[in-house]
Amino acid sequence: MKQIVFSAIQPSGDLHIGNLIGAIRQWVKMQKEQKDNEYIFSVVDLHAITVKQDPAVLKEKILEVVAIYLASGLDEKKSRIFVQSENPDHANLAWIFDCVTPFSWLKKMTQFKDKSLKQKENTTVGLFNYPALMAADILLYDTDVVPVGEDQQQHIELTRNIAERFNKRFGEVFKLPKGLIDKTTARIMSLQDPLRKMSKSDANESSRVNLLDDKDVIVKKIMRAVTDSDTKVLYDREKKPAISNLLAIFSSLSGRSVQDIEREYVGQGYGKFKKDLAEVVVNALLPIQERYNKLIKDKDYLKKVLNDGKEYVYKKSSSKMKQVKEAMGLGVRL
Ligand code: AQP
């Protein structure tokens, strides 16, 4: 049965292997294997500005993310790609959801708690409302499936709750979407602290491998990754979180099972394992970087992909917004 698939990434910094393994590779795999589905992927720049951004850098990062999507295997003939702020319906519906969503629901969001701790006095109302905008992104397109990393699970549940609440009050307007989370790869951890998620906004550059890092930088970051106190290459998230994280990366990027990799490194210690992991990461990123370097120069092509994407999604979202306004008694039609 045909399903509508929607997902997105914020252009809030350099994309890293967590974004690739937890999100983009899942999208590419679905696009290849489930050909009947409709795929919509966004670069969510309105989410990025919930924390401070330099306008010139943001502009660059938006195109960078689009080129990374395409370089990683999204096919513009099968997937619609667009920039969120180019479709005003996202912000419109987010405001409506702000007025439907109880304050107490947003107060429970762990991502807000974490990020507001870091932002302190600079914490914005937008950061608090972020999940209502995310609900709008998803619900505008009658989305069935949202492939994401584990950190977004709570936001997907909230999206369903908002849709249910709206439908109860105003009639059946929104479809209830499901999150698609691959348990083994959905949470790639920091290379410097395996108890924290690998994140674009981590101030420590060594905490992540960026998708556009040079070979030498990748090797250095992997060789410097923290390890656990013994020397065995074994997967055990509780007792050996650092090596388990490296094994998850190794397995995901090489396509080999964790058990197979464990067997290869029995009695070998961490040095050889990390050296080989660095090679696996470099080999996985090199073809993406080669394609990216060509694509980022082809501005006409990128512009065409984004214009086509915008036109397509705007048609869909305007019809949904008509339904929403009609159901709520908004606007005038004489
Ligand atoms: N470490 C991760 N492991 C697995 N998946 C991850 N994702 C992010 N980090 C990891 C998934 O990537 C998609 C896009 O995420 P996002 O950029 O929109 O927001 P985020 O989750 O907040 O990502 P970051 O890197 O932590 O960004 P900052 O630091 O700017 O907040 C999502 O599907 C996410 O689950």
Side-chain angles (χ1 to χ4, degrees), residues 5-199:
V5 180
F6 174 91
S7 199
I9 293 185
Q10 336 172 38
S12 48
D14 297 324
L15 262 56
H16 49 74
I17 53 172
N19 298 128
L20 181 72
I21 295 171
I24 303 174
R25 277 167 52 115
Q26 277 205 76
W27 309 349
V28 172
K29 188 165 173 266
M30 284 184 90
Q31 183 203 251
K32 268 192 199 133
E33 291 173 358
Q34 300 173 37
K35 293 196 169 60
D36 291 341
N37 288 346
E38 183 177 339
Y39 295 98
I40 304 175
F41 298 107
S42 186
V43 179
V44 283
D45 51 350
L46 294 175
H47 283 281
I49 58 163
T50 54
V51 300
K52 205 169 169 191
Q53 302 292 341
D54 174 332
V57 177
L58 181 61
K59 210 171 220 161
E60 233 171 64
K61 290 291 155 196
I62 291 171
L63 268 197
E64 192 175 297
V65 177
V66 176
I68 287 178
Y69 282 0
L70 294 163
S72 305
L74 285 189
D75 178 347
E76 95 279 3
K77 291 186 198 79
K78 296 177 188 149
S79 298
R80 310 294 174 158
I81 299 171
F82 75 104
V83 177
Q84 182 191 33
S85 67
E86 296 285 304
N87 181 355
D89 286 337
H90 288 252
N92 289 345
L93 186 58
W95 172 253
I96 287 170
F97 286 163
D98 279 346
C99 300
V100 170
T101 310
F103 192 76
S104 58
W105 289 6
L106 293 185
K107 263 190 356 196
K108 286 188 201 139
M109 296 294 110
T110 49
Q111 197 175 73
F112 173 75
K113 288 183 198 161
D114 293 348
K115 288 196 173 174
S116 58
L117 272 182
K118 280 193 216 154
Q119 296 292 317
K120 296 192 180 104
E121 294 298 298
N122 294 324
T123 302
T124 62
V125 177
L127 188 65
F128 185 73
N129 288 359
Y130 177 117
L133 176 59
M134 183 165 159
D137 301 337
I138 297 167
L139 297 175
L140 264 179
Y141 302 109
D142 284 335
T143 302
D144 296 289
V145 183
V146 193
V148 281
E150 204 176 55
D151 58 321
Q152 296 301 333
Q153 184 158 24
Q154 199 186 23
H155 291 161
I156 306 281
E157 274 160 28
L158 183 88
T159 299
R160 289 173 63 87
N161 293 340
I162 293 175
E164 267 181 326
R165 191 177 168 92
F166 187 101
N167 288 350
K168 224 186 232 167
R169 258 169 84 176
F170 303 110
E172 288 294 315
V173 172
F174 294 112
K175 213 188 237 182
L176 297 200
K178 280 200 188 101
L180 180 70
I181 297 170
D182 177 342
K183 281 285 163 216
T184 44
T185 55
R187 201 166 171 78
I188 299 300
M189 309 308 279
S190 158
L191 299 180
Q192 292 301 313
D193 178 356
L195 302 181
R196 285 162 55 129
K197 186 181 82 112
M198 184 179 285
S199 180

Side-chain angles (χ1 to χ4, degrees), residues 89-309:
D89 286 337
H90 288 252
N92 289 345
L93 186 58
W95 172 253
I96 287 170
F97 286 163
D98 279 346
C99 300
V100 170
T101 310
F103 192 76
S104 58
W105 289 6
L106 293 185
K107 263 190 356 196
K108 286 188 201 139
M109 296 294 110
T110 49
Q111 197 175 73
F112 173 75
K113 288 183 198 161
D114 293 348
K115 288 196 173 174
S116 58
L117 272 182
K118 280 193 216 154
Q119 296 292 317
K120 296 192 180 104
E121 294 298 298
N122 294 324
T123 302
T124 62
V125 177
L127 188 65
F128 185 73
N129 288 359
Y130 177 117
L133 176 59
M134 183 165 159
D137 301 337
I138 297 167
L139 297 175
L140 264 179
Y141 302 109
D142 284 335
T143 302
D144 296 289
V145 183
V146 193
V148 281
E150 204 176 55
D151 58 321
Q152 296 301 333
Q153 184 158 24
Q154 199 186 23
H155 291 161
I156 306 281
E157 274 160 28
L158 183 88
T159 299
R160 289 173 63 87
N161 293 340
I162 293 175
E164 267 181 326
R165 191 177 168 92
F166 187 101
N167 288 350
K168 224 186 232 167
R169 258 169 84 176
F170 303 110
E172 288 294 315
V173 172
F174 294 112
K175 213 188 237 182
L176 297 200
K178 280 200 188 101
L180 180 70
I181 297 170
D182 177 342
K183 281 285 163 216
T184 44
T185 55
R187 201 166 171 78
I188 299 300
M189 309 308 279
S190 158
L191 299 180
Q192 292 301 313
D193 178 356
L195 302 181
R196 285 162 55 129
K197 186 181 82 112
M198 184 179 285
S199 180
K200 290 185 221 102
S201 55
D202 194 322
N204 184 352
E205 266 288 325
S206 306
S207 66
R208 61 183 169 266
V209 172
N210 297 325
L211 300 185
L212 301 180
D213 276 345
D214 287 343
K215 183 179 171 194
D216 294 350
V217 175
I218 298 174
V219 173
K220 240 186 237 157
K221 285 180 177 175
I222 298 283
M223 296 312 285
R224 265 194 216 142
V226 295
T227 46
D228 306 297
S229 51
D230 64 8
T231 56
K232 291 192 182 112
V233 179
L234 282 179
Y235 190 90
D236 183 333
R237 280 275 180 195
E238 294 224 322
K239 294 191 189 121
K240 294 172 64 67
I243 286 298
S244 301
N245 186 42
L246 297 183
L247 271 166
I249 297 171
F250 198 132
S251 164
S252 167
L253 294 183
S254 65
R256 290 171 58 190
S257 72
V258 166
Q259 292 83 346
D260 183 32
I261 303 165
E262 281 176 339
R263 266 194 300 273
E264 184 181 339
Y265 293 96
V266 171
Q268 295 212 50
Y270 295 147
K272 168 90 169 72
F273 169 72
K274 279 179 159 184
K275 202 165 148 269
D276 292 350
L277 171 61
E279 199 178 311
V280 164
V281 177
V282 168
N283 287 340
L285 297 191
L286 209 66
I288 295 177
Q289 294 182 357
E290 279 169 6
R291 285 193 291 271
Y292 170 86
N293 288 331
K294 281 190 197 133
L295 283 163
I296 198 66
K297 286 186 206 128
D298 195 348
K299 296 287 186 293
D300 287 343
Y301 172 66
L302 296 177
K303 209 162 132 186
K304 183 171 180 337
V305 170
L306 291 178
N307 277 338
D308 290 352

